[in-house]
Amino acid sequence: MRFAPQHITLKNGKNIVIREAVCEDAQALIDAAKSYLRTSDYMCSYENEFNPTPEEEADWIKSHQKENSLLLVAVDNEKILATFNATGYQNRKMKHVAVLGISILEDWRGNGLGNILFESMISWAKKNPELEILVLETFSDNLTAINLYKKWGFTVDGVRKNYFRNGNENYSDNILMSLNVK
Ligand SMILES: CC(C)(COP(=O)(O)OP(=O)(O)OC[C@H]1O[C@@H](n2cnc3c(N)ncnc32)[C@H](O)[C@@H]1OP(=O)(O)O)[C@@H](O)C(=O)NCCC(=O)NCCS
């Protein structure tokens, strides 16, 4: 199900647009993802582990052009500030489930963009004829993200102990959360 672009004013006064990603965004999305990986301790990969070609990134963008999937970007004059994917399963037994992932550029965090993106995504998912459940995972010490997810109604399904290793002796648990949208 497609998404009509939205024009938004953030707390910092900037006017931005939230729209679906298109294949032409591939290189800009790679650059943005490398920046998220560089500036957050709560991503599953390090920056040097993420090296897709623009063609591979375009394939990932295209994989969201399905009824139960959506890849949103927030842009300031076409600079990508944030990426928010809802990746729906394509096997019939799980087509009602989509996996979420959100990241915002460091300089744009704390301006209400996370809240706005969740409002847009959940309202899209509620209207989506296929989707029933949104799921996500997060580091147990990512309190900003956990607060955001709880604020939008997500509840904890389970905890995987010591799932992420941040250094030789430094582990975080993986918090599994979900929201029923129907
Ligand atoms: C997590 C993230 C998406 C939140 O987006 P954001 O734009 O910074 O968040 P917002 O300003 O919209 O705030 C949303 C909510 O998050 C929580 N929050 C925001 N900043 C917080 C802070 N410093 N401490 C605790 N909670 C905080 C609050 O619940 C807030 O809602 P409220 O302002 O109505 O109380 C963003 O910070 C980010 O991309 N971080 C790095 C990557 C990341 O951690 N991604 C998630 C991986 S699971």
Side-chain angles (χ1 to χ4, degrees):
M1 196 182 91
R2 295 341 324 150
F3 179 91
Q6 294 177 349
H7 295 258
I8 306 282
T9 304
L10 293 179
K11 282 183 195 165
N12 62 7
K14 293 273 189 177
N15 295 314
I16 60 145
V17 175
I18 297 173
R19 61 163 174 80
E20 278 191 71
V22 291
C23 288
E24 291 71 24
D25 292 320
Q27 186 58 54
L29 264 181
I30 293 171
D31 296 342
K34 282 188 160 287
S35 180
Y36 310 143
L37 295 172
R38 196 164 54 241
T39 59
S40 172
D41 292 332
Y42 305 120
M43 313 301 290
C44 295
S45 307
Y46 293 106
E47 184 189 357
N48 62 7
E49 296 172 328
F50 178 73
N51 297 301
T53 64
E55 291 73 27
E56 287 167 340
E57 190 72 356
D59 285 344
W60 185 70
I61 294 169
K62 252 185 257 165
S63 75
H64 290 84
Q65 294 165 357
K66 305 254 169 63
E67 181 72 354
N68 67 349
S69 298
L70 182 64
L71 178 57
L72 291 179
V73 288
V75 295
D76 172 31
N77 288 324
E78 288 310 301
K79 178 183 167 60
I80 293 181
L81 316 173
T83 310
F84 194 7
N85 62 294
T87 308
Y89 286 97
Q90 296 308 309
N91 41 323
R92 276 190 293 151
K93 286 185 183 176
M94 294 172 72
K95 263 196 161 179
H96 61 300
V97 181
V99 181
L100 301 189
I102 186 169
S103 297
I104 298 175
L105 289 186
E106 189 172 33
D107 288 350
W108 292 78
R109 295 173 198 156
N111 281 295
L113 184 51
N115 274 327
I116 289 165
L117 285 167
F118 261 83
E119 186 176 21
S120 301
M121 183 64 85
I122 291 172
S123 121
W124 171 85
K126 280 181 192 277
K127 287 182 252 160
N128 189 292
E130 287 189 338
L131 282 179
E132 295 175 29
I133 301 171
L134 301 177
V135 300
L136 54 80
E137 302 183 12
T138 188
F139 285 60
S140 50
D141 36 357
N142 193 353
L143 300 182
T144 301
I146 292 172
N147 283 344
L148 171 67
Y149 305 151
K150 286 189 171 164
K151 180 172 174 178
W152 287 95
F154 283 76
T155 53
V156 175
D157 295 328
V159 177
R160 288 193 174 126
K161 300 295 288 179
N162 292 345
Y163 195 79
F164 301 112
R165 196 167 66 191
N166 305 308
N168 284 342
E169 302 290 334
N170 185 10
Y171 292 84
S172 299
D173 297 340
N174 185 9
I175 310 292
L176 312 180
M177 303 181 82
S178 67
L179 175 72
N180 200 320
V181 291
K182 294 286 153 61

